[in-house]
Amino acid sequence: MNKFILTFVFCFSTFYATSQSGYEIKINLKNCNDTIAFLTYYQLDKNYVKDTCTQIKNGKIIFKGKGKLDKGIYSLISQQKSVYFDFFIDDETQNLELKNDLGVANIDGLTAVNSKRENDFFDYIKFINQQNKEFTDYKSSIKILTKKDTLLLNDKQKQLDDKVRVYEEGFFEKNKGTYIGDVLNIKMEKLLKDIPKASNGRPDSLAVYKYYKNHYWENIDFKDDTTMRNPFLFPKLKRYFESVVVTHPDSVCVEVDKILDKTKPNSLFYKLMLAHLTYSYETNNIMGFDKVFVHIIDKYFKTGKATGIYNDEDVISKIIKRAESLRPLLVGAVAPDLSMIKASDYEVMKKMGFGTAKTSEEVTKVFYANVNQLNKMFCHLNSITADFIILVFWDVDCGHCQKEIPKLIELYNKLKKENKDVKVYSVYTLHEGDKYLKYIDEHKLNDWINVYDGAHYNNVVVKYDVYSTPVIYVLDKNRVIKAKRIGTEQIENVINVMEKEYKTK
């Protein structure tokens, strides 16, 4: 008999454990007319569908699965792909019952039937919504006509920010050690409360900044993949690199390494972070920040630490190739030489046969038949001597060039009147020499060094990353790249900085 009881208890326990291994999220929404709904989860900067409910009756939605849901912030998504509300899932909320008796449009009615902590989280969401509404209502109730009005609005914003901060600190203390406590810790700003005075008697802004930066990632576990499953981490990461870190590529390189060092090697978190940082700095538009991209490729991709980030491993070799093409063009590097043909030699090049050569084989044949003469005709970028060299790649028919080149002409004439030692190495990116010569004549560009790749000797598109026009570089007297891919309106400021550098040397 005792043996039978023990066997029964064991079987019942096994059945109970099995029934608890899956998840079941029951949601009852008043006035919900959807016929389909989605359960999604946050992961760094994206939102993924975890489950779909295709049988909704009278607003009753059920998501059910065999495996446990990963810890994270989840969203109920409507048939129209809009977010109804967020909620969290941890080990204690795999079986969750939620309801909203006030209807889908009123979050104040949202409650959890079987989780006090989930209700605490909903109270937090409702509180934040209320503060946002209060500020919006206040802002719409006043007219900002004077500086005083702006100050009043700022004061209101500060009052509400302080109110939220106090609420969040209390919520965090109450939920410290729980998953939702960890999530709120990510969102919370760590600010210096007792601000010391600087030598001028004012609040020490440097101390405030140092504290903020040093405590920015405090108690955030980068070795746990659950840390990225919420809507707060990615904006925090973005803000860190855009507003907290010193805006200099060398500083950013250091911070990129620090962030990746916090993660567990080869973890999903590590892979997603590396992929995100790689893309961010490959496509970054701030001048000079392609150096960060090259640094990432050197340290992680070329050393095998990027394996498994992409489904297609060929992507890695393509990214490495992209970095290698940018390396010679980094700010601070000596500009690669160009062996170009002067626009005035266009007719000579036509007579050689370059104008009629159609294939690469024909071009190569014409080139070697005239190589000795061509070597005497080449106008090398390396041969240009001036304190300030403006290297511009453009096309006569390019709409943007038609606006930018006249501005460059005007700036060049201004700089020459100021006795600046400046030269323009003007590269026409196509081969329609007649158009080029006509433009030079009509716009009086004879003082520029007007060249084109008449001998098809340079692939300027690849060599100088010219995939659209115009592209402008500014070089110093040693042909070191000081600025690149800038507008004409920025050139004068660059030259002014270079002048100061010359004077201090």
Side-chain angles (χ1 to χ4, degrees):
M1 183 67 182
N2 288 340
K3 184 178 180 182
F4 174 77
I5 292 172
L6 287 173
T7 303
F8 174 78
V9 169
F10 175 76
C11 291
F12 178 80
S13 299
T14 303
F15 169 77
Y16 182 78
T18 303
S19 69
Q20 293 298 304
S21 64
Y23 69 89
E24 185 174 45
I25 312 296
K26 295 180 179 178
I27 304 171
N28 193 347
L29 297 182
K30 187 176 181 180
N31 300 328
C32 176
N33 298 316
D34 290 353
T35 58
I36 187 170
F38 306 93
L39 177 67
T40 67
Y41 63 96
Y42 293 93
Q43 186 164 278
L44 205 57
D45 60 329
K46 293 181 174 59
N47 209 294
Y48 296 94
V49 175
K50 176 61 180 178
D51 202 349
T52 305
C53 178
T54 56
Q55 295 180 345
I56 302 176
K57 295 181 180 179
N58 300 319
K60 293 181 179 179
I61 302 167
I62 298 177
F63 299 106
K64 191 173 183 178
K66 293 182 179 180
K68 287 179 66 175
L69 291 173
D70 290 325
K71 291 181 185 178
I73 300 293
Y74 288 73
S75 303
L76 176 64
I77 305 297
S78 73
Q79 190 167 338
Q80 288 72 36
K81 307 297 192 300
S82 61
V83 178
Y84 276 142
F85 58 85
D86 287 346
F87 57 98
F88 75 88
I89 292 292
D90 61 6
D91 291 335
E92 297 175 2
T93 52
Q94 295 291 319
N95 289 275
L96 192 60
E97 188 173 345
L98 310 174
K99 67 175 183 175
N100 190 337
D101 294 333
L102 297 182
V104 294
N106 191 342
I107 197 157
D108 289 338
L110 181 62
T111 58
V113 176
N114 60 343
S115 173
K116 181 182 181 305
R117 186 163 283 133
E118 197 78 54
N119 278 324
D120 289 342
F121 179 58
F122 290 155
D123 287 343
Y124 167 73
I125 293 174
K126 294 169 189 176
F127 173 79
I128 295 297
N129 284 348
Q130 180 58 39
Q131 306 318 303
N132 289 335
K133 183 179 183 302
E134 186 176 335
F135 180 72
T136 302
D137 290 346
Y138 178 81
K139 188 176 180 180
S140 61
S141 69
I142 64 172
K143 292 183 178 180
I144 304 197
L145 302 174
T146 65
K147 185 177 181 181
K148 183 179 178 181
D149 297 328
T150 302
L151 291 173
L152 286 172
L153 185 64
N154 291 341
D155 286 343
K156 184 66 173 178
Q157 177 73 72
K158 186 178 183 305
Q159 289 173 17
L160 294 177
D161 286 345
D162 291 341
K163 190 175 177 181
V164 168
R165 190 173 297 113
V166 170
Y167 186 98
E168 288 184 335
E169 287 173 355
F171 185 94
F172 175 69
E173 287 300 320
K174 183 180 176 182
N175 293 278
K176 189 180 289 185
T178 68
Y179 171 71
I180 199 58
D182 292 340
V183 168
L184 194 66
N185 178 59
I186 293 171
K187 180 182 181 293
M188 289 170 62
E189 297 277 32
K190 282 79 171 180
L191 304 176
L192 181 60
K193 293 180 179 179
D194 298 320
I195 302 173
K197 294 284 178 33
S199 57
N200 60 6
R202 297 177 179 176
D204 191 340
S205 58
L206 182 59
V208 171
Y209 167 74
K210 285 183 177 179
Y211 182 92
Y212 184 64
K213 184 175 185 295
N214 291 338
H215 293 79
Y216 196 87
W217 300 113
E218 190 172 68
N219 298 322
I220 297 176
D221 188 1
F222 280 77
K223 289 184 166 51
D224 187 351
D225 285 351
T226 62
T227 300
M228 64 179 170
R229 297 192 192 108
N230 63 79
F232 305 123
L233 182 72
F234 182 72
K236 191 178 185 80
L237 180 74
K238 194 168 183 288
R239 185 166 64 251
Y240 186 68
F241 281 102
E242 291 180 356
S243 305
V244 181
V245 176
V246 176
T247 311
H248 189 282
D250 290 341
S251 298
V252 172
C253 287
V254 171
E255 296 296 336
V256 163
D257 292 343
K258 283 182 179 179
I259 288 289
L260 290 172
D261 284 345
K262 291 176 184 289
T263 63
K264 189 185 295 183
N266 296 318
S267 64
L268 179 62
F269 202 170
Y270 166 82
K271 291 175 182 178
L272 292 178
M273 286 286 283
L274 180 54
H276 164 69
L277 291 167
T278 302
Y279 176 77
S280 294
Y281 289 103
E282 182 185 6
T283 58
N284 193 289
N285 291 322
I286 302 176
M287 184 180 68
F289 273 67
D290 44 1
K291 182 177 182 180
V292 182
F293 171 65
V294 172
H295 167 78
I296 291 172
I297 303 314
D298 286 346
K299 184 158 185 177
Y300 302 96
F301 283 69
K302 294 174 74 174
T303 58
K305 295 178 181 179
T307 303
I309 307 186
Y310 306 103
N311 293 331
D312 183 358
E313 289 299 310
D314 287 342
V315 173
I316 291 178
S317 60
K318 290 176 182 176
I319 291 175
I320 292 174
K321 185 176 180 181
R322 173 65 179 154
E324 292 306 320
S325 70
L326 291 177
R327 189 186 305 279
L329 304 175
L330 298 179
V331 172
V334 175
D337 191 23
L338 288 170
S339 302
M340 308 299 281
I341 299 298
K342 291 181 180 179
S344 55
D345 287 330
Y346 172 65
E347 291 299 329
V348 176
M349 301 301 289
K350 278 178 64 177
K351 289 179 182 177
M352 287 182 183
F354 283 104
T356 55
K358 302 297 182 184
T359 66
S360 59
E361 290 80 7
E362 290 175 357
V363 169
T364 301
K365 186 176 180 180
V366 173
F367 179 90
Y368 282 107
N370 299 276
V371 66
N372 292 332
Q373 186 178 355
L374 287 171
N375 284 333
K376 296 175 185 177
M377 293 171 62
F378 281 133
C379 177
H380 295 275
L381 176 61
N382 279 354
S383 68
I384 308 306
T385 56
D387 286 342
F388 315 105
I389 302 170
I390 300 171
L391 170 60
V392 55
F393 299 89
W394 62 290
D395 168 19
V396 173
D397 294 325
C398 157
H400 192 190
C401 300
Q402 289 169 359
K403 296 177 181 178
E404 202 70 15
I405 295 302
K407 294 179 187 177
L408 185 57
I409 296 169
E410 185 178 345
L411 174 64
Y412 172 77
N413 292 333
K414 178 178 181 290
L415 294 172
K416 293 300 286 186
K417 286 181 181 178
E418 294 172 356
N419 295 316
K420 298 280 198 299
D421 182 18
V422 58
K423 289 182 180 177
V424 176
Y425 191 83
S426 167
V427 180
Y428 175 52
T429 56
L430 299 180
H431 292 82
E432 298 175 78
D434 293 328
K435 289 183 178 181
Y436 191 26
L437 289 168
K438 182 181 178 183
Y439 192 98
I440 291 169
D441 182 57
E442 289 178 349
H443 293 82
K444 299 179 174 56
L445 298 187
N446 293 308
D447 199 26
W448 288 11
I449 301 163
N450 299 298
V451 297
Y452 77 115
D453 194 15
H456 300 268
Y457 190 70
N458 304 267
N459 185 348
V460 295
V461 170
V462 174
K463 200 168 189 176
Y464 269 88
D465 198 35
V466 184
Y467 291 94
S468 62
T469 52
V471 172
I472 298 174
Y473 287 72
V474 179
L475 318 179
D476 71 7
K477 59 187 176 184
N478 297 313
R479 290 173 295 283
V480 171
I481 299 171
K482 306 300 286 188
K484 61 185 237 182
R485 309 192 76 84
I486 60 174
T488 302
E489 67 280 356
Q490 298 170 280
I491 294 175
E492 193 167 11
N493 287 336
V494 173
I495 287 177
N496 289 338
V497 172
M498 291 168 66
E499 276 189 316
K500 291 176 183 177
E501 290 177 355
Y502 285 150
K503 288 176 182 177
T504 56
K505 290 180 180 179

